[in-house]
């Protein structure tokens, strides 16, 4: 599942710096705790707006100034 994939990515020294945002339809706040325990950098419940997703993505990437 996604939680195990997150653990595997974060457990690999070559991949562990890749930011992970968990997107889920799971309604329980315990799922957010499970995601963060697996190494996720952020968490977002479905349904979500594109704007909210972009806000979260922007926290983890640097875009060149225009």
């Amino acid at each position: 599942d996604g939680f195990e994939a997150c653990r595997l990515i974060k457990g690999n020294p070559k991949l562990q710096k890749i930011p992970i945002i968990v997107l889920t339809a799971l309604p329980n706040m315990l799922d957010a705790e499970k995601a963060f325990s697996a190494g996720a950098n952020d968490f977002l419940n479905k349904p979500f707006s594109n704007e909210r997703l972009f806000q979260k993505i922007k926290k983890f990437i640097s875009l060149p100034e225009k």
Side-chain angles (χ1 to χ4, degrees), residues 22-28 31 43-48:
V22 173
L23 306 175
T24 185
L26 299 171
N28 195 328
D31 297 311
F43 184 88
L44 189 59
N45 281 97
K46 295 177 186 176
F48 55 85

Side-chain angles (χ1 to χ4, degrees), residues 21-54:
I21 301 171
V22 173
L23 306 175
T24 185
L26 299 171
N28 195 328
M29 282 309 295
L30 292 176
D31 297 311
E33 290 178 26
K34 188 175 177 180
F36 289 118
S37 292
N41 299 90
D42 212 331
F43 184 88
L44 189 59
N45 281 97
K46 295 177 186 176
F48 55 85
S49 68
N50 287 341
E51 181 61 33
R52 185 72 178 126
L53 177 59
F54 293 145

Side-chain angles (χ1 to χ4, degrees), residues 3-36:
F3 300 116
E4 181 61 20
C6 186
R7 274 189 285 280
L8 290 171
I9 292 168
K10 292 300 186 171
N12 184 324
K14 292 181 181 179
L15 304 175
Q16 65 187 10
K17 291 185 180 180
I18 296 172
I20 297 174
I21 301 171
V22 173
L23 306 175
T24 185
L26 299 171
N28 195 328
M29 282 309 295
L30 292 176
D31 297 311
E33 290 178 26
K34 188 175 177 180
F36 289 118

